[in-house]
Amino acid sequence: MIDALPEKGVPAEQVLAELREMRGGDLPTHGGRLFAYVYDPALDGLDELARTAHAISAHVNGLDPTAFPSLLAMENALVGAAAKLLGGGAETVGSVTSGGTESLILAVKAARDAHPEIARPRLVIPSTAHAAFAKAAHYLRVELDVVPVKGLTADPQAMAAAIGPDTVLVAASAPSYAHGVVDPIPALAAIARERGVRFHVDACFGGWILPYLRRLGADLPDFDLSVPGVTSISADLHKYAYAPKGVSILLHASEELRRSQYFAYADWPGYTMINPVISSTRSGGPIAAAFATLRSIGDAGYLSLAGRTREAVRILAEAVTETDGVRLFAPAETSVVCLAADGVDLFVLADELAARGWHTQPQMAYAELPPTIHLTVTAAVRDTAPSFAPDLADAVAAAKSRGPIELPPLPPLTPSTVTPELIASLAEGLGLGSGDFSRMAVVNTVLNAAPPPLREALLTGFLSHLQRPAHG
Ligand SMILES: *Cc1c(COP(=O)(O)O)cnc(C)c1O
């Protein structure tokens, strides 16, 4: 166990060696074999550039733009770039946030606080919308109306029926994270506009690639601020803009729409606090790194990265289509490949892919949808994609011969019976005690069988079990 507060400070070289050793146990952030969490353009020199830019501004505080005008200038440049890319007009304004979740929380907050007269504000989303909307609703005490989808996309008629007098916001995805498909934004925005309700497009995932895929000829619906009725849109720069973690953009169609996003407080003895976003003190590091990344890649660079991503998606989707035992679960129309299994245990397959160096993201069964495997595809995957097909065929064969997971006998579980002791013994029994998370099929099978509230309780308990103070 490494002591974070040794009695005497440790030499820099040693600290960095320790850090590198710890990092060695992580999944690979580069190399085009990890299909979630990370976004890799595989561009020479970009990491060094972003790292240096991050370091230059790491100690700058976004709390007060008059003290640090460099940060204000970079934020305005990033918002301007996003507005240009995402159909903004002369009235468009925005904010730089720390991530997609914060952008969505703020879009919901702005909508809620624009209607102080509504005592119980409501948010209408399709069931495929990102979980961050549920988090926003929970944090902000906004009621969530989750509307079933038709196929895998939002159903405009059903969404329209869910809008009521207390609805402050309607939202949809471009594209959805789970399946990578784009909701019918023009129809939904028209409905929201007619009802006088704000409409947010969650382009956190796709905001920095959809415009380029469209330029390359992909047949995708209009989804941005140019669509009448769209009042706000979010795009994560730490996804397809390939910036280091900690940067997303939230755009509003006008300054008036943004006003209720801000928080101001002067009624205390300290400085008057005016915060556009959730954090007050904020590091300039991620913003400077994003600024450097965008300027270095440029519009032509992003077009070319989208082209490579598109080729990688085509190669992976073809591998899935041509392999017996798996099938494409959703049309691979953006940068996601989502597959389902037929006659082979999906969670065993995910482990077999991991054993061959392909780290995918299993998604649990939901409503009538079966469990699936999600692949977020980035430009780096263009180079590795051709070797996926043979490994997929191998992994399917291995999963078939291992057969489906047979669960060990488990105590009857309900959210209220999930205690720290039970979690500790489950973790031990399922082989998670060692910290090796490479064979997860049994765990995933248990979770998949659990109804959502139990799954939430189990994973909350497990995370709490992992997060314990280390004593050096
Ligand atoms: C990633 C994502 C989010 C949440 O973003 P974070 O940066 O992880 O907070 C929201 N919506 C969609 C569609 C996403 O893909």
Side-chain angles (χ1 to χ4, degrees):
M1 204 59 75
I2 291 179
D3 189 352
L5 186 62
E7 192 178 338
K8 267 186 75 210
V10 168
E13 277 311 307
Q14 185 186 333
V15 174
L16 291 177
E18 291 162 353
L19 184 53
R20 290 199 181 93
E21 196 196 322
M22 286 194 281
R23 284 281 290 107
D26 292 343
L27 289 177
T29 55
H30 293 70
R33 287 175 156 269
L34 172 53
F35 293 105
Y37 314 115
V38 300
Y39 296 77
D40 180 10
L43 290 176
D44 283 345
L46 188 68
D47 274 357
E48 291 72 16
L49 172 68
R51 190 183 308 147
T52 307
H54 197 292
I56 289 173
S57 295
H59 291 282
V60 168
N61 192 341
L63 179 64
D64 182 352
T66 64
F68 303 104
S70 69
L71 212 51
L72 180 65
M74 285 188 284
E75 286 198 271
N76 284 341
L78 291 174
V79 168
K84 187 166 142 202
L85 188 64
L86 298 171
E91 304 289 300
T92 302
V93 295
S95 299
V96 178
T97 73
S98 65
T101 300
E102 186 177 2
S103 290
L104 298 186
I105 290 174
L106 290 171
V108 176
K109 182 211 177 304
R112 182 196 69 174
D113 290 354
H115 289 282
E117 80 287 2
I118 297 180
R120 296 175 188 283
R122 310 187 72 90
L123 163 62
V124 173
I125 54 165
S127 58
T128 48
H130 196 278
F133 282 111
K135 179 173 174 177
H138 179 78
Y139 275 26
L140 297 166
R141 291 184 189 255
V142 168
E143 290 296 319
L144 198 57
D145 292 309
V146 179
V147 180
V149 289
K150 199 159 121 193
L152 293 174
T153 54
D155 173 356
Q157 269 184 346
M159 294 280 286
I163 299 173
D166 293 338
T167 304
V168 294
L169 183 67
V170 177
S173 321
S176 64
Y177 177 80
H179 307 124
V181 293
V182 182
D183 284 326
I185 301 300
L188 296 166
I191 291 163
R193 182 162 124 138
E194 194 193 301
R195 306 286 289 273
V197 179
R198 292 181 183 220
F199 180 69
H200 181 81
V201 175
D202 177 8
C204 283
F205 184 77
W208 226 261
I209 190 167
L210 288 193
Y212 296 104
L213 291 176
R214 281 161 56 102
R215 269 195 232 167
L216 292 167
D219 182 20
L220 295 165
D222 289 338
F223 71 97
D224 63 17
L225 282 170
S226 66
V227 176
V230 172
T231 53
S232 57
I233 187 168
S234 49
D236 293 351
L237 300 187
H238 60 208
K239 289 181 179 162
Y240 285 98
Y242 297 110
K245 303 280 181 256
V247 194
S248 170
I249 303 276
L250 171 60
L251 298 178
H252 294 274
S254 72
E255 192 170 0
E256 192 194 336
L257 289 163
R258 183 178 64 177
R259 186 84 76 230
S260 47
Q261 175 194 314
Y262 283 33
F263 177 80
Y265 199 77
D267 203 5
W268 75 305
Y271 55 89
T272 294
M273 201 168 78
I274 315 287
N275 290 155
V277 297
I278 295 177
S279 294
S280 200
T281 286
R282 313 194 262 161
S283 170
I287 293 165
F291 174 77
T293 301
L294 260 67
R295 277 195 59 79
S296 166
I297 295 177
D299 193 60
Y302 283 113
L303 184 65
S304 141
L305 289 169
R308 292 177 63 70
T309 304
R310 199 172 183 218
E311 286 172 25
V313 165
R314 184 181 48 75
I315 295 167
L316 297 175
E318 205 171 281
V320 172
T321 308
E322 288 178 0
T323 306
D324 283 339
V326 288
R327 68 189 154 90
L328 278 184
F329 184 70
E333 65 184 33
T334 60
S335 55
V336 170
V337 174
C338 180
L339 58 110
D342 287 320
V344 40
D345 187 310
L346 181 99
F347 299 122
V348 176
L349 173 62
D351 278 0
E352 290 297 335
L353 283 169
R356 288 160 182 76
W358 301 97
H359 305 282
T360 65
Q361 190 167 51
Q363 302 183 135
M364 306 292 150
Y366 168 78
E368 67 283 1
L369 307 181
T372 51
I373 285 176
H374 167 109
L375 310 180
T376 286
V377 182
T378 59
V381 178
R382 176 60 188 87
D383 291 332
T384 51
S387 52
F388 184 69
D391 281 347
L392 177 63
D394 252 24
V396 169
K400 275 193 178 145
S401 77
R402 267 175 68 190
I405 291 295
E406 310 225 342
L407 285 184
L410 291 170
L413 295 169
T414 64
S416 59
T417 58
V418 176
T419 59
E421 297 70 35
L422 177 106
I423 290 289
S425 81
L426 266 182
E428 205 51 42
L430 295 173
L432 298 173
S434 64
D436 174 6
F437 303 125
S438 63
R439 288 176 90 80
M440 295 295 284
V442 174
V443 174
N444 284 330
T445 305
V446 171
L447 293 172
N448 188 57
L454 176 59
R455 201 185 298 156
E456 291 159 7
L458 287 168
L459 288 173
T460 302
F462 183 58
L463 184 59
S464 182
H465 175 74
L466 291 178
Q467 296 192 309
R468 306 202 164 256
H471 301 287

